[in-house]
Amino acid sequence: MSQADENQAGREVTEVAPQILQDLHSKYADVMCPVHGEHPRFEVDEKGGVVESFCCDALMQIFRELGSREREA
Ligand SMILES: [Zn+2]
């Protein structure tokens, strides 16, 4: 991969980030905190990485369990 290609790939990640967040939000639309009725939230940090945010530990636990179940499947 040439340097120009790498730069292009980096730009693509930034551009599709909103779509990734939308996909994550719809993917976890069924996941709801039993205490607060909140869904998991996803944001993009300054490095372009996706950051998960939860209203409390209960929702985080549910989210983590879903993730581990997906890896087993
Ligand atoms: Zn909560």
Side-chain angles (χ1 to χ4, degrees):
M1 191 183 267
S2 73
Q3 198 166 1
D5 286 339
E6 281 173 27
N7 287 343
Q8 199 170 12
R11 211 161 43 236
E12 272 172 25
V13 168
T14 310
E15 282 170 10
V16 299
Q19 184 60 48
I20 290 172
L21 293 184
Q22 228 171 39
D23 288 350
L24 282 169
H25 279 125
S26 57
K27 180 177 179 182
Y28 293 105
D30 295 340
V31 181
M32 190 184 277
C33 173
V35 183
H36 305 101
E38 297 271 344
H39 300 288
R41 292 202 191 92
F42 302 95
E43 291 158 12
V44 177
D45 66 15
E46 62 273 13
K47 289 172 189 159
V50 177
V51 183
E52 305 145 355
S53 92
F54 308 98
C55 58
C56 65
D57 284 351
L59 183 57
M60 191 175 76
Q61 288 283 339
I62 294 168
F63 180 82
R64 295 271 178 260
E65 278 173 27
L66 276 176
S68 60
R69 238 180 283 161
E70 269 182 16
R71 278 192 291 277
E72 282 167 20

